[in-house]
C-alpha cells in the first residue's frame, strides 16, 4: 500500500550551474546542426572548468559545419560556446566568456552506429542505441508535474529573471534550490523546508542574500505554503562568491533527475542534452512524457508512468509499459494498446509526430525539460495535450 502522509524533496540547479552550462553549450551545438540540416546526427559532450571549455563527440551533418574529413568547423563551435557563456552571464576572473580557452574535439559519426540507425531498403530507421525511457504525469500542478520539482525550478527561474533584468545586481549565475513538501493523504499541502544557495557578489552577507531571496520564494509558492523561518536555508555555508565552473567542474548530462521529475518518477539513465532526436534517450523520453501527460489530461488516470524500451538498430519499441498507480479508469493493457495505435513509437514516428528535427533544444537545457509551455516554433512540443480527444474516443 502506498504511503499517504510523508515528506518529499526535489532539487533544481540554475542555468549558471557548471553542469547546466555544459548542457546549454551541447544543446546549442545540436541546434546549429539541425538548423542547417534536419537530418543531422549529433552527440556533443561539454566539459567546463576554470577558464576552459572542452567540446567532444561525434557528428554527421552538412557543409559548411562538417568538412570533407568529417571534422566540425571549430571556429563556429567556439563561437557557439562563448555566446552561451555570455548569455548566461559569466564575466568573472575564473570563468569569462571572452577569456576562456575553448577546445573542440568533435569528429565524424561511427559508420557502425550509422548503419544501425539509417533507413535502407525495407529497413526503417532504427534506434540510435539500446535503452529504457520513462515518462510521468500527475495532477499535483497545473502543468501535470510533481510539485517539489515544479517549485524548485520556479524559484531559480524567478531569481535568474531578476538577475538578467538588473533588478538584483548582487546575484551571480550559479545557484541551486531544494524544496521539501509535506503530503497529506497523497496530496502536497505546504513546504516544510526550502534551501537556496546562490552565488553572489563580494561584500554581501548571508543575511543580505537571504533578504534578496525570500520574496521570490514566497511569490513562487502557493499562499500559505512557505516553510517555517528556521527551515528556510539560504547559503548555508555562509558565503558563495566563488562559483560556476571556477568553483566546480561541469559536464554534460549530470543532472538527469533535475531535468525530469525530481526523483518522483523512475529515470532510464540516459541524458538528453547534446543529442539529436534520432537518439531515443531524448526523443523516446519526450514521447513517454507526452503520452503520460495526455493520459492524465484526458481523465483516464490521475497519475501515469510509461516505460519504453528499444534495441540499437531496431525501429519498433520492445515494450510499452503503462502504470496508473491505482488511479486509472481504464485497464492498463488496454491503455498500452490504444497509445500505440494513436502514436507511432518508432524513432522516425516519434520525431515526425512531435516535429523534433528542429533547432529547439538550447532552451530546454535549464529548469527542466518537462512542465514547460509549448512554444509557437515547436519548442516543448511534447508538452502539448493534443492527443486528449483521440484518447477519449478510443477509450
Amino acid at each position: 500500500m502506498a504511503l499517504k502522509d510523508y515528506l518529499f524533496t526535489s532539487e533544481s540547479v540554475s542555468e549558471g550551474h557548471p553542469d547546466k552550462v555544459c548542457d546549454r553549450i551541447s544543446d546549442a551545438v545540436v541546434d546549429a546542426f539541425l538548423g542547417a540540416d534536419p537530418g543531422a546526427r549529433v552527440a556533443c559532450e561539454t566539459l567546463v572548468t576554470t577558464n576552459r571549455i572542452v567540446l567532444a563527440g561525434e557528428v554527421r551533418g552538412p557543409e559548411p559545419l562538417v568538412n570533407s574529413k568529417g571534422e566540425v568547423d571549430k571556429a563556429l563551435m567556439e563561437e557557439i560556446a562563448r555566446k552561451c557563456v555570455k548569455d548566461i552571464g559569466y564575466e568573472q576572473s575564473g570563468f569569462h566568456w571572452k577569456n576562456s580557452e575553448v577546445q573542440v574535439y568533435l569528429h565524424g559519426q561511427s559508420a557502425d552506429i550509422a548503419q544501425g540507425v539509417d533507413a535502407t531498403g525495407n529497413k526503417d530507421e532504427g534506434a540510435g542505441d539500446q535503452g529504457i525511457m520513462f515518462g510521468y504525469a500527475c495532477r499535483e500542478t497545473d502543468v501535470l508535474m510533481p510539485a517539489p520539482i515544479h517549485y524548485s525550478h520556479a524559484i531559480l527561474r524567478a531569481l535568474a529573471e531578476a538577475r538578467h533584468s538588473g533588478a538584483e545586481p548582487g546575484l551571480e549565475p550559479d545557484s541551486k534550490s531544494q524544496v521539501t513538501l509535506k503530503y497529506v493523504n497523497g496530496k502536497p499541502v505546504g513546504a516544510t523546508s526550502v534551501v537556496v544557495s546562490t552565488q553572489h557578489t563580494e561584500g554581501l552577507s548571508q543575511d543580505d542574500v537571504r533578504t534578496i531571496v525570500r520574496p521570490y520564494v514566497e511569490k513562487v509558492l502557493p499562499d500559505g505554503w512557505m516553510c517555517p523561518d528556521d527551515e528556510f536555508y539560504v547559503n548555508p555555508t555562509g558565503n558563495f562568491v566563488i562559483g560556476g565552473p571556477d568553483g566546480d567542474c561541469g559536464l554534460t548530462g549530470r543532472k538527469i533527475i533535475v531535468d525530469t521529475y525530481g526523483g518522483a518518477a523512475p529515470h532510464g539513465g540516459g541524458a538528453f542534452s547534446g543529442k539529436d532526436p534520432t537518439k531515443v534517450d531524448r526523443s523516446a523520453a519526450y514521447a513517454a512524457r507526452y503520452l503520460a501527460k495526455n493520459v492524465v489530461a484526458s481523465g483516464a488516470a490521475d497519475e501515469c508512468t510509461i516505460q519504453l524500451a528499444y534495441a540499437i538498430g531496431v525501429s519498433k519499441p520492445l515494450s510499452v509499459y503503462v502504470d496508473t498507480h491505482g488511479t486509472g479508469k481504464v485497464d492498463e493493457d488496454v491503455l498500452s494498446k490504444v497509445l500505440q495505435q494513436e502514436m507511432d513509437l518508432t524513432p522516425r514516428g516519434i520525431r515526425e509526430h512531435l516535429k523534433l528535427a528542429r533547432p529547439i533544444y538550447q532552451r530546454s537545457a535549464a529548469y527542466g525539460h518537462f512542465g514547460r509551455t509549448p512554444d509557437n516554433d515547436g519548442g516543448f512540443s511534447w508538452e502539448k495535450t493534443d492527443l486528449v480527444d483521440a484518447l477519449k474516443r478510443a477509450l
Side-chain angles (χ1 to χ4, degrees):
M1 181 177 293
L3 197 64
K4 294 295 184 182
D5 299 342
Y6 55 92
L7 302 181
F8 192 83
T9 305
S10 293
E11 69 159 347
S12 179
V13 298
S14 73
E15 64 200 52
H17 185 281
D19 295 333
K20 283 290 147 198
V21 174
C22 293
D23 287 346
R24 170 84 172 262
I25 294 171
S26 293
D27 276 338
V29 171
V30 171
D31 283 352
F33 275 88
L34 291 178
D37 177 6
R41 303 279 170 78
V42 189
C44 178
E45 311 292 342
T46 304
L47 175 149
V48 294
T49 185
T50 302
N51 276 330
R52 187 180 296 268
I53 303 168
V54 182
L55 282 70
E58 306 80 45
V59 298
R60 191 178 76 187
E63 299 284 357
L65 295 182
V66 181
N67 64 27
S68 60
K69 297 180 181 180
E71 298 170 339
V72 176
D73 185 325
K74 295 183 178 180
L76 178 60
M77 298 302 108
E78 178 176 340
E79 181 183 341
I80 288 171
R82 292 191 189 280
K83 185 177 187 305
C84 288
V85 174
K86 183 178 182 180
D87 288 349
I88 290 168
Y90 275 112
E91 295 185 340
Q92 300 168 3
S93 60
F95 193 69
H96 195 294
W97 65 270
K98 188 175 182 179
N99 302 331
S100 292
E101 178 184 356
V102 180
Q103 297 171 303
V104 180
Y105 298 103
L106 277 79
H107 57 79
Q109 184 187 43
S110 160
D112 290 345
I113 294 176
Q115 72 180 354
V117 178
D118 291 343
T120 56
N122 294 325
K123 174 185 172 295
D124 194 8
E125 178 184 301
D129 201 353
Q130 71 177 47
I132 56 174
M133 298 84 207
F134 287 92
Y136 179 75
C138 63
R139 294 197 179 280
E140 291 182 14
T141 60
D142 291 343
V143 293
L144 305 184
M145 283 288 287
I149 188 68
H150 175 73
Y151 293 119
S152 294
H153 286 322
I155 289 168
L156 294 186
R157 289 191 76 176
L159 291 173
E161 288 167 4
R163 176 174 62 85
H164 283 297
S165 72
E168 299 294 352
L171 298 181
E172 296 286 1
D174 192 1
S175 60
K176 303 177 77 171
S177 65
Q178 187 169 285
V179 175
T180 301
L181 297 184
K182 180 180 181 180
Y183 284 72
V184 176
N185 198 27
K187 297 183 184 299
V189 297
T192 59
S193 65
V194 175
V195 183
V196 178
S197 295
T198 180
Q199 188 184 16
H200 58 87
T201 56
E202 187 77 63
L204 289 181
S205 68
Q206 185 180 25
D207 286 341
D208 292 335
V209 179
R210 184 185 178 94
T211 300
I212 292 171
V213 169
R214 176 184 284 279
Y216 295 96
V217 175
E218 291 177 336
K219 185 175 181 179
V220 161
L221 294 176
D223 290 343
W225 278 39
M226 185 62 184
C227 64
D229 194 62
D230 61 352
E231 292 292 331
F232 179 46
Y233 304 98
V234 176
N235 286 5
T237 61
N239 204 46
F240 190 1
V241 173
I242 301 172
D246 188 31
D248 191 10
C249 178
L251 293 169
T252 299
R254 280 207 299 197
K255 288 293 178 285
I256 57 178
I257 301 303
V258 170
D259 285 343
T260 54
Y261 308 103
H267 192 291
F272 304 156
S273 290
K275 299 175 182 178
D276 73 79
T278 67
K279 295 165 178 60
V280 287
D281 275 347
R282 178 167 227 156
S283 58
Y286 290 169
R289 162 63 179 175
Y290 173 72
L291 293 177
K293 185 174 183 180
N294 276 272
V295 166
V296 173
S298 73
D302 292 332
E303 184 179 3
C304 183
T305 298
I306 293 177
Q307 184 206 56
L308 305 176
Y310 293 85
I312 188 169
V314 179
S315 60
K316 68 180 181 65
L318 305 183
S319 63
V320 180
Y321 167 80
V322 180
D323 182 2
T324 54
H325 307 275
T327 70
K329 300 168 181 63
V330 180
D331 183 88
E332 287 152 337
D333 288 338
V334 173
L335 194 51
S336 175
K337 292 174 182 176
V338 167
L339 292 175
Q340 292 177 75
Q341 291 168 3
E342 296 299 330
M343 184 177 183
D344 178 357
L345 290 172
T346 64
R348 182 198 298 276
I350 292 171
R351 195 173 68 252
E352 292 179 352
H353 188 108
L354 297 177
K355 297 179 173 57
L356 297 178
R358 294 187 281 190
I360 56 175
Y361 299 107
Q362 185 179 171
R363 71 195 73 173
S364 70
Y367 313 117
H369 292 245
F370 308 130
R372 309 287 288 273
T373 302
D375 294 324
N376 292 332
D377 66 350
F380 302 106
S381 61
W382 51 92
E383 289 298 307
K384 292 182 177 180
T385 52
D386 53 3
L387 210 58
V388 165
D389 290 342
L391 289 180
K392 287 180 176 179
R393 287 194 299 269
L395 295 172

